[in-house]
Amino acid sequence: LPGQSALLGQHQVSRKTVTFIPAFPFLAGERYQAQVPGRSPVLFSIPSVDAPAPRLTGIHPTTDVLPANHLKFYLHFSESMEQGNIFRHFKLSDDSGQAVPEPFRETELWSADEKRLTLWLHPGRQKTGVNLNRDLGPVLNPGQTYTLTISGRWKSQAGKPLGANHTKTFRALPPDRTQPDPAQWQLVPPPANTRTPLILQLNEPLDWALLQNQITVENIPGQTQVTRAEREWRFVPDAPWPPGEHRLLIGWELEDLAGNNLERPFEVDLQNAPPHGLAQPRRVQFFVK
């Protein structure tokens, strides 16, 4: 409508029709105006639907202490959420209640079902020595407490608001510039002929989403669980464990909360960094008896 921002999208033109494909879904209950040069504007609205109000079902990481160079939050919702210009619904404030200026990387990264958002703290501020870090400083400072607020006015794609603000409060630790080290993890094998979980105990919280797909058991189908505030990985097989030797595969892309992975740290001196070959997963043998 007049006074509102133009929608992002693409036009497809045929001999008699112009089709507009929005970059983000139209929202139920909203009014829109289509304008074609030389023609009167056309007003239209998307009918409201009988849908449940969305719920914020989780925020990862769940730990309430994060390194000062922390990078990502995962926000989980019960319904597909409104997209486009969503960053007005987020606020990061320090322990004095002051808003942290420009804390987010304003790129929308949604899961395929549009119910999980990856919310980045701006890497250009979290990585030392780059322009944004020099000009604005890091997003987080060690020893301070911060609160991430998600506005209750944010709507689902069906036009229903969250209804109440949601917050996550956490304390910033010193920056983490050390790569994850599988040698410091403890593997607890299960007994044979049971569906007891295989447990991998970690020495630090790791990236929740990457824990879901960067650790697998070779040739054994099953389900992954991440517990203990991202400090424990569990694997439940679909069928009872066969006795004998098995192998755990750990992808090199697995990261900690500061973006350090098994192959390289998040911050690399490109002038002095050694060349990297083809990265391979780590293989860890274990025995089921």
Side-chain angles (χ1 to χ4, degrees):
L1 290 175
Q4 300 297 315
S5 300
L7 296 181
L8 297 176
Q10 296 180 339
H11 294 86
Q12 294 180 352
V13 181
S14 63
R15 180 174 298 178
K16 295 184 178 181
T17 62
V18 176
T19 302
F20 176 73
I21 303 172
F24 304 104
F26 288 117
L27 299 179
E30 294 289 332
R31 299 175 65 221
Y32 297 91
Q33 175 179 294
Q35 179 71 60
V36 178
R39 300 290 185 91
S40 299
V42 176
L43 298 176
F44 66 96
S45 61
I46 306 300
S48 297
V49 295
D50 186 13
R55 293 177 293 109
L56 180 66
T57 58
I59 302 177
H60 287 97
T62 56
T63 177
D64 58 3
V65 287
L66 302 174
N69 54 346
H70 175 67
L71 286 179
K72 289 178 281 186
F73 294 100
Y74 297 102
L75 309 183
H76 305 258
F77 299 92
S78 62
E79 309 294 326
S80 299
M81 298 299 293
E82 169 195 5
Q83 299 178 28
N85 193 26
I86 65 172
F87 292 93
R88 69 188 189 278
H89 297 303
F90 306 132
K91 178 183 177 182
L92 185 68
S93 53
D94 61 22
D95 46 16
S96 69
Q98 295 295 312
V100 177
E102 303 181 38
F104 305 115
R105 175 190 176 191
E106 296 194 3
T107 300
E108 297 191 32
L109 300 171
W110 289 96
S111 59
D113 63 2
E114 301 178 328
K115 294 182 181 180
R116 187 188 80 203
L117 175 71
T118 303
L119 179 64
W120 279 74
L121 298 183
H122 204 298
R125 293 188 61 184
Q126 295 296 72
K127 180 178 287 190
T128 57
V130 298
N131 288 346
L132 283 177
N133 177 269
R134 291 173 177 171
D135 295 342
L136 299 176
V139 176
L140 308 176
N141 291 301
Q144 290 197 24
T145 298
Y146 295 87
T147 298
L148 171 66
T149 301
I150 298 99
S151 171
R153 291 179 290 183
W154 193 8
K155 294 180 181 179
S156 68
Q157 291 184 18
K160 305 290 185 178
L162 281 171
N165 290 351
H166 295 266
T167 60
K168 177 182 176 61
T169 298
F170 59 92
R171 181 167 54 87
L173 300 174
D176 179 3
R177 310 198 195 282
T178 304
Q179 294 170 249
D181 181 8
Q184 299 187 44
W185 305 346
Q186 182 177 357
L187 189 63
V188 182
N193 303 312
T194 73
R195 295 185 64 237
T196 300
L198 170 70
I199 299 175
L200 183 62
Q201 297 174 345
L202 310 169
N203 66 318
E204 63 174 333
L206 298 183
D207 183 283
W208 176 87
L210 293 174
L211 281 169
Q212 309 288 329
N213 56 44
Q214 288 297 308
I215 306 180
T216 58
V217 180
E218 191 172 51
N219 300 322
I220 301 289
Q223 304 298 317
T224 294
Q225 303 171 346
V226 178
T227 59
R228 293 184 57 239
E230 297 78 48
R231 287 177 174 268
E232 185 172 273
W233 177 91
R234 290 174 170 241
F235 178 83
V236 180
D238 292 342
W241 288 100
E245 178 182 326
H246 298 276
R247 289 200 299 182
L248 192 70
L249 302 182
I250 305 172
W252 66 268
E253 295 165 295
L254 183 61
E255 297 177 356
D256 60 24
L257 302 185
N260 306 300
N261 64 39
L262 271 62
E263 181 69 10
R264 60 183 67 89
F266 180 66
E267 296 198 15
V268 177
D269 183 347
L270 297 179
Q271 293 183 338
N272 299 315
H276 288 285
L278 180 63
Q280 298 291 334
R282 308 284 181 92
R283 289 173 167 82
V284 178
Q285 291 182 326
F286 65 97
F287 294 87
V288 173
K289 301 177 182 181

